[in-house]
């Protein structure tokens, strides 16, 4: 306790010293600031005084020139006195600030303009008047303009009078003889008002105008504002005139400003010194409280680091940091848990078509629903994008896990309304059990990912609980993908050819190229077993280009052997048809193997066309320009409109084998086939029927005017060497399915 008191006193002494030091420094800076403020105000005041003095001097000098103008006119011709009023009016209109103009022949004022209000000045003898005599005689003697004043006028008021002596400028007797005076009267009050001096007075400035006589040093103050001059902030400016110098005195009381500034700055100084001293005092005597505050802020930052900024859910970092403790808790208490990993089905389409801002709102809604579907002990985590994890820490059984998984599926599928739009979202769940499937986060993630993949493979919008067979299937799938890539690279894929024949001529006119995989371990593998794998692994484009190249190679091979020409049909997938590199690649093959385009045909299914019919039409038109035959495969099994058929560059329709198989027994199939053939011929499109297996089917197709046939009745798909030996002309009656 004593030690704490000593520390408290020492802290108080240090804080007090800091207060005194800071306050003293502030007082010094207040003094410097006030001094600088006063100097700046004096400089500003001096500039205003000089500007105002210059304005008064300019106005008076301009007014004085009026008498010189009038004197010059009269000196040239004394008869112009008759036009005095006209001259005076023009001068006063041209030069502002003049209140009246006078003409005094022989020094006696006889003419005044305007006369109204100035009648008292008529007859005034300037040369003999005690106030004006001395200045008038000086003007005659030195033959120059003089300014008299400020003086009090006989007609009232204070004014400045400018007088210019007039001498006759005629030749002969009387030349250069004094004739009289031209005078201009300038009242000071209007002149000062026009110069803006009253505006300064209204803004709080104190003003004085005075004239000091050079001979007697007598000071005549002819203007003073109501506000008295302040000697502490007084500046003066000289106004130089022909009658002598005037002094403009200007002051502005800044004592109130200085007092206000000083009070405000002292208050701020006291506050600053107090804050610094108090802060230092608290730092010195409260290290533990400060440490607690630091710990609190650190915890808040840590929470922010573990929280997803969009949804407010825990993030991937939180999962990595806390999952070990969660697993240990489940294992220690011999309880049962589950790790549910999932993403939203087809969520990318929302971001791509509507926008990421709407996609973010959907994610927020989904996060809210997930939080409502879980208990307090469960953990909902957003990994990133549309990926989430839910960790069930106290699941009673597998059935409870299934129930919660189903609840997640149900809540996700509920309609979401955002910005007047409605969305229905589904999800697929991959579930691993804790600790059955692992006790490490990485292991659980891998198993859940495998289960999620299986859920999507089964059609999405469902949950799958991991088992070891899925892991093996995934490994097998990965190995198959590698094996397929290797097969393409090492050319393990070969082509078989099924002949296509003209029903009328009984001649082989073409063939369909069908790919087979000569697997080093499994033997000959049919496309149904590896085409889906190629599509799933993204190798379908590479595989498709491989088949196209091999088809061109075979046509070049037939040409070298001198075999009869055929039209070789190649199947195209939807991904190939949408591939922007398809047409350039086909052009490259035509140039490389020197095979004309009309020896190649591409077969496209109706469902392939439906993917993007506008793009498909454009691609097919480009292929047609190369001479390539375009065929619609499996016609009649898709969902495309017959109206679209006339808009597509189609050369050949291929009737699906499902219609041909029961042609002999099914009346509906016969009507359907006959209608397809008739419709195609109306559109100038040839028809080929696949799956011809009997002579009865063949004869029936002939009766329907079908153009071409393909099927086991003529030949199964055969290897390259056997197709090389296949005859061009066939005797239909001699062929059977078993003889090939």
């Amino acid at each position: 306790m004593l030690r704490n008191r000593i520390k408290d006193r020492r802290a108080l002494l240090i804080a007090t010293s800091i207060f005194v030091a800071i306050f003293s420094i502030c007082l010094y800076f207040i003094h410097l600031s006030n001094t600088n403020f006063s100097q700046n105000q004096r400089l500003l005041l001096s500039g205003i005084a000089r500007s105002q003095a210059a304005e008064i001097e300019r106005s008076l000098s301009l007014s004085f020139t009026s008498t010189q103008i009038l004197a010059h006119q009269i000196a040239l011709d004394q008869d112009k006195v008759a036009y005095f009023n006209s001259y005076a009016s023009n001068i006063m209109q041209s030069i502002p600030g003049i209140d009246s103009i006078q003409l005094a022949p022989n020094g006696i004022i006889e003419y005044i303009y305007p006369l109204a209000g100035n009648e008292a000045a008529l007859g005034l003898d300037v040369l003999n008047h005690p106030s004006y005599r001395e200045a008038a005689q000086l003007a005659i003697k030195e033959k120059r303009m003089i300014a008299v004043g400020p003086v009090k006028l006989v007609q009232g008021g204070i004014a400045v009078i400018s007088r210019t002596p007039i001498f006759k400028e005629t030749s002969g007797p009387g030349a250069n003889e004094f004739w009289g005076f031209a005078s201009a009267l300038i009242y000071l009050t209007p002149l000062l008002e026009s110069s803006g001096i009253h505006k300064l007075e209204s803004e709080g400035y104190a003003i004085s105008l005075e004239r000091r006589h050079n001979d007697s040093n007598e000071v005549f103050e002819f203007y003073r504002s109501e506000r008295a001059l302040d000697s502490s902030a007084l500046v003066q400016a000289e106004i130089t005139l022909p009658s002598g110098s005037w002094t403009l005195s200007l002051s502005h009381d800044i004592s109130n400003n200085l007092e206000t500034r000083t009070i405000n700055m002292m208050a701020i100084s006291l506050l600053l010194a107090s804050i610094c001293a108090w802060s230092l005092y608290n730092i010195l005597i409260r290290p533990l409280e400060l440490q607690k505050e630091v710990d609190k802020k650190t915890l808040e930052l840590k929470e922010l680091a573990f929280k997803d900024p969009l949804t407010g859910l825990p993030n991937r970092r939180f999962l990595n940091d806390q999952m070990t403790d969660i697993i240990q808790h489940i294992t220690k208490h011999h309880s049962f848990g589950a790790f549910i990993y999932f993403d939203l089905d087809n969520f990318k389409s929302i971001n791509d078509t509507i926008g990421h801002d709407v996609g973010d709102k959907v994610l927020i809604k989904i996060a809210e629903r997930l939080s409502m579907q879980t208990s307090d002990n469960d953990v909902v985590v957003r990994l990133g994008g549309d990926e989430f994890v839910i960790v069930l820490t106290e699941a009673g059984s597998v059935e409870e896990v299934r129930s919660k998984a189903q609840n997640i599926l149900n809540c996700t599928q509920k309609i979401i309304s955002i910005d007047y739009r409605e969305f229905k979202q589904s999800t697929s769940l991959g579930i691993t059990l804790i600790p059955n499937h692992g006790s490490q986060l990485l292991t659980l993630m891998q198993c859940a990912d495998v289960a999620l993949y299986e859920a999507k493979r089964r059609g999405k919008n469902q949950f799958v609980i991991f088992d070891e067979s899925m892991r093996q299937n995934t490994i097998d799938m990965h190995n198959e993908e590698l094996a397929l890539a290797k097969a393409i690279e090492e050319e393990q894929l070969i082509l078989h050819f099924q002949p296509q024949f003209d029903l009328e001529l009984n001649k082989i006119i073409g063939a369909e190229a069908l790919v087979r995989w000569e697997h080093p371990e499994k033997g000959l593998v049919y496309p149904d077993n590896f085409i889906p794998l190629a599509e799933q692994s993204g190798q379908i484009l590479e595989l498709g280009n491989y088949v196209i190249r091999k088809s061109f190679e075979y046509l070049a091979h037939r040409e070298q052997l001198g075999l009869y020409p055929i039209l070789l049909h190649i199947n195209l997938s939807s991904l190939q048809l949408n591939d922007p590199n398809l047409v350039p690649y086909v052009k490259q093959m035509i140039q490389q193997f020197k095979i004309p385009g009309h020896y190649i045909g591409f077969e496209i299914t109706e469902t392939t066309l439906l993917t993007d019919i506008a793009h498909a039409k454009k691609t097919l038109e480009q292929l047609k320009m190369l001479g390539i035959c375009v065929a619609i495969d499996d016609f009649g099994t898709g969902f495309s409109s017959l109206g679209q058929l006339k808009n597509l560059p189609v050369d050949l329709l291929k009737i699906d084998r499902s219609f041909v198989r029961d042609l002999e027994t099914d009346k509906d199939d016969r009507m359907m086939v006959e209608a397809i053939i008739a419709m195609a011929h109306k559109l100038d499109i040839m028809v080929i029927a696949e799956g011809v297996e009997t002579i009865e089917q063949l004869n029936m197709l002939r009766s329907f005017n079908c153009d071409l046939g393909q099927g086991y009745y003529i030949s199964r798909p055969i290897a390259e060497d056997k197709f090389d030996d296949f005859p061009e002309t066939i005797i239909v009656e001699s062929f059977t399915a078993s003889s090939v």
Side-chain angles (χ1 to χ4, degrees):
M1 182 66 70
L2 180 60
R3 181 178 297 177
N4 290 337
R5 289 181 179 178
I6 293 174
K7 287 183 178 180
D8 192 18
R9 291 177 181 176
R10 185 181 299 170
L12 181 61
L13 179 60
I14 295 173
T16 303
S17 302
I18 292 296
F19 174 83
V20 172
I22 293 176
F23 190 67
S24 299
I25 294 172
C26 289
L27 289 178
Y28 174 71
F29 279 106
I30 290 172
H31 171 72
L32 292 180
S33 177
N34 285 341
T35 302
N36 185 56
F37 177 76
S38 299
Q39 291 176 349
N40 289 337
Q41 289 296 313
R42 187 176 294 276
L43 289 174
L44 177 63
L45 196 63
S46 178
I48 294 173
R50 289 196 300 271
S51 175
Q52 193 65 42
E55 178 63 23
I56 295 172
E57 185 176 322
R58 184 193 66 79
S59 299
L60 286 172
S61 298
L62 182 63
S63 301
F64 290 166
T65 59
S66 61
T67 59
Q68 295 174 319
I69 294 172
L70 180 61
H72 178 69
Q73 295 292 332
I74 300 300
L76 292 175
D77 185 0
Q78 288 75 40
D79 293 336
K80 292 182 178 180
V81 172
Y83 302 102
F84 167 75
N85 286 343
S86 177
Y87 284 139
S89 175
N90 290 335
I91 290 171
M92 289 180 67
Q93 290 177 7
S94 302
I95 301 175
I98 302 172
D99 292 283
S100 68
I101 296 178
Q102 305 167 356
L103 196 61
N106 297 317
I108 299 172
I109 297 175
E110 296 182 7
Y111 304 95
I112 301 176
Y113 182 86
L115 181 60
N118 297 309
E119 295 87 347
L122 287 173
L124 179 66
D125 188 351
V126 176
L127 289 174
N128 296 311
H129 193 281
S131 299
Y132 310 126
R133 178 176 60 245
E134 183 180 352
Q137 291 175 355
L138 179 63
I140 295 171
K141 179 181 178 181
E142 296 184 359
K143 294 184 177 182
R144 65 178 178 83
M145 181 197 75
I146 63 169
V148 180
V151 296
K152 294 182 179 179
L153 301 175
V154 294
Q155 62 267 40
I158 299 176
V160 177
I161 302 173
S162 167
R163 285 201 174 95
T164 301
I166 302 172
F167 296 90
K168 298 178 181 179
E169 294 186 6
T170 58
S171 58
N176 292 325
E177 178 182 349
F178 173 71
W179 182 85
F181 287 104
S183 305
L185 183 70
I186 301 104
Y187 279 106
L188 282 181
T189 300
L191 181 115
L192 293 177
E193 287 180 355
S194 64
S195 69
I197 201 167
H198 291 290
K199 184 178 180 181
L200 290 176
E201 187 176 352
S202 66
E203 292 174 356
Y205 291 89
I207 306 166
S208 171
L209 272 172
E210 59 186 20
R211 176 185 177 188
R212 183 181 297 276
H213 292 281
N214 295 332
D215 298 335
S216 61
N217 283 332
E218 181 183 354
V219 176
F220 173 50
E221 186 178 41
F222 54 89
Y223 181 83
R224 174 181 287 274
S225 62
E226 294 181 1
R227 189 175 281 102
L229 293 172
D230 183 4
S231 59
S232 63
L234 178 67
V235 295
Q236 293 180 326
E238 295 294 323
I239 302 174
T240 304
L241 298 171
S243 61
S245 296
W246 295 3
T247 300
L248 172 65
S249 299
L250 195 65
S251 72
H252 193 232
D253 186 8
I254 62 171
S255 59
N256 290 336
N257 289 342
L258 283 174
E259 183 179 352
T260 302
R261 281 170 54 85
T262 302
I263 292 173
N264 290 339
M265 287 190 290
M266 287 187 67
I268 293 173
S269 300
L270 281 170
L271 181 62
L272 178 63
S274 300
I275 291 174
C276 292
W278 178 253
S279 299
L280 180 61
Y281 176 76
N282 279 277
I283 291 173
L284 292 174
I285 68 170
R286 292 186 175 179
L288 294 178
E289 285 77 1
L290 182 60
Q291 185 61 46
K292 289 180 181 178
E293 187 67 24
V294 171
D295 293 341
K296 180 181 177 183
K297 295 298 182 183
T298 303
L299 182 60
E300 290 176 358
L301 291 174
K302 188 176 181 180
E303 289 178 354
L304 288 175
F306 286 158
K307 184 177 292 186
D308 175 52
L310 178 65
T311 62
L313 295 176
N315 58 14
R316 183 185 293 271
R317 182 179 293 181
F318 173 87
L319 187 66
N320 293 334
D321 186 74
Q322 299 295 320
M323 194 60 195
T324 301
D325 294 339
I326 294 173
I327 295 172
Q328 288 178 353
H329 174 80
I330 294 173
T331 306
K332 181 179 179 180
H333 292 83
H334 304 287
S335 57
F336 185 71
F339 185 92
I340 305 176
Y341 172 53
F342 58 98
D343 59 13
L344 303 179
D345 297 333
N346 305 317
F347 178 74
K348 184 175 182 295
S349 62
I350 296 179
N351 285 335
D352 293 344
T353 58
I354 302 177
H356 287 270
D357 54 338
V358 176
D360 288 346
K361 292 178 181 178
V362 171
L363 290 174
I364 293 171
K365 289 284 188 182
I366 293 294
E368 291 173 354
R369 293 182 180 180
L370 293 175
S371 298
M372 294 173 63
Q373 290 297 321
T374 55
S375 63
D376 295 337
N377 296 323
D378 299 334
V379 180
V380 183
V381 177
R382 183 192 176 207
L383 296 181
D386 63 330
E387 294 181 323
F388 294 86
V389 164
I390 296 180
V391 182
L392 306 181
T393 60
E394 296 181 359
S397 63
V398 175
E399 287 305 317
E400 185 176 337
V401 173
R402 292 178 181 275
S403 176
K404 288 208 172 186
Q406 189 60 51
N407 289 340
I408 293 171
L409 292 176
N410 294 339
C411 79
T412 305
Q413 292 182 72
K414 291 180 181 178
I415 297 296
I416 299 174
S417 299
I418 295 175
D419 299 336
Y420 306 104
R421 289 190 178 97
E422 291 187 343
F423 302 91
K424 186 173 182 180
Q425 193 66 53
S426 64
T427 185
S428 302
L429 310 181
I431 305 174
T432 55
L433 304 179
I434 307 173
N436 304 41
H437 297 143
S439 57
Q440 298 293 329
L441 175 60
L442 182 59
T443 304
L444 294 173
M445 282 285 290
Q446 290 173 343
C447 295
D449 191 36
V450 170
L452 175 61
Y453 176 83
E454 179 64 19
K456 289 184 177 293
R457 190 189 67 80
R458 294 181 185 179
K460 302 180 180 180
N461 193 27
Q462 58 186 291
F463 65 86
V464 170
I465 298 178
F466 173 80
D467 62 47
E468 288 299 329
S469 63
M470 294 179 191
R471 190 198 305 272
Q472 188 58 47
N473 290 339
T474 302
I475 295 173
D476 293 343
M477 182 70 70
H478 178 68
N479 292 337
E480 286 296 322
E481 290 176 1
L482 293 178
L484 179 59
K486 184 179 180 182
I488 297 173
E489 182 180 354
E490 297 181 356
E491 299 191 356
Q492 297 175 10
L493 301 172
I494 61 173
L495 296 184
H496 281 198
F497 305 94
Q498 185 171 28
Q500 297 171 339
F501 58 95
D502 189 307
L503 292 179
E504 182 179 352
L505 301 176
N506 291 336
K507 283 191 174 183
I508 301 300
I509 55 90
E512 180 179 359
L514 300 167
V515 65
R516 304 287 188 264
W517 182 0
E518 284 189 325
H519 199 285
E521 299 174 359
K522 300 178 181 179
L524 195 64
V525 180
Y526 286 87
D528 291 346
N529 295 319
F530 63 85
I531 292 297
L533 176 65
E535 292 177 341
Q536 195 172 356
S537 62
Q539 300 180 76
I540 189 65
L541 292 181
E542 187 177 0
L543 175 60
N545 289 340
Y546 176 89
V547 172
I548 293 173
R549 178 168 58 83
K550 283 297 181 180
S551 298
F552 273 92
E553 284 183 3
Y554 178 67
L555 289 174
H557 161 75
R558 288 185 66 90
E559 187 175 4
Q560 289 177 356
L561 294 179
L563 300 175
Y564 59 88
I566 62 170
L567 174 62
L568 188 58
H569 281 266
I570 306 167
N571 291 288
L572 283 184
S573 69
S574 59
L575 289 176
Q576 283 181 279
L577 191 60
N578 291 319
D579 182 14
N581 296 316
L582 173 64
V583 176
Y585 185 75
V586 173
K587 289 181 179 178
Q588 178 187 342
M589 293 296 100
I590 291 174
Q591 295 172 359
Q592 180 178 341
F593 292 99
K594 304 296 187 295
I595 298 297
H598 61 265
Y599 286 113
I600 290 291
F602 283 127
E603 295 186 3
I604 304 103
T605 63
E606 290 183 83
T607 52
T608 297
L609 291 171
L610 285 175
T611 304
D612 186 347
I613 195 163
H615 178 76
K617 180 181 178 182
K618 180 179 178 182
T619 302
L620 294 178
E621 287 174 346
Q622 292 175 338
L623 293 173
K624 282 281 291 183
M625 292 176 64
L626 299 176
I628 292 172
C629 172
V630 176
I632 303 298
D633 194 11
D634 299 337
F635 188 80
T637 62
F639 304 97
S640 61
S641 169
L642 293 177
Q644 292 288 356
L645 193 60
K646 66 178 182 180
N647 297 321
L648 294 171
V650 176
D651 301 296
L652 185 66
L653 286 186
K654 199 169 189 181
I655 300 176
D656 186 67
R657 67 179 69 248
S658 62
F659 294 103
V660 178
R661 182 176 58 244
D662 299 324
L663 198 61
E664 303 163 69
T665 59
D666 192 321
K667 181 180 178 181
D668 291 337
D669 283 350
R670 287 198 299 272
M671 294 175 61
M672 181 69 72
V673 170
E674 191 173 7
I676 292 174
I677 295 171
M679 179 270 299
H681 286 170
K682 286 289 184 180
L683 296 174
D684 292 328
I685 298 175
M686 295 183 68
V687 179
I688 180 172
E690 64 175 344
V692 180
E693 298 182 356
T694 67
I695 186 64
E696 289 79 8
Q697 293 171 348
L698 188 146
N699 289 330
M700 198 169 291
L701 289 169
R702 277 177 176 168
S703 68
F704 296 156
N705 294 320
C706 184
D707 302 290
L708 307 172
Q710 176 183 342
Y712 287 0
Y713 183 75
I714 299 301
S715 174
R716 293 176 179 272
I718 54 179
E720 177 182 322
D721 55 346
K722 291 184 178 181
F723 189 60
D724 288 345
D725 298 332
F726 206 88
E728 179 180 8
T729 302
I730 58 175
I731 301 174
V732 173
E733 288 76 12
S734 66
F735 276 85
T736 63
S738 59
S739 64
V740 178

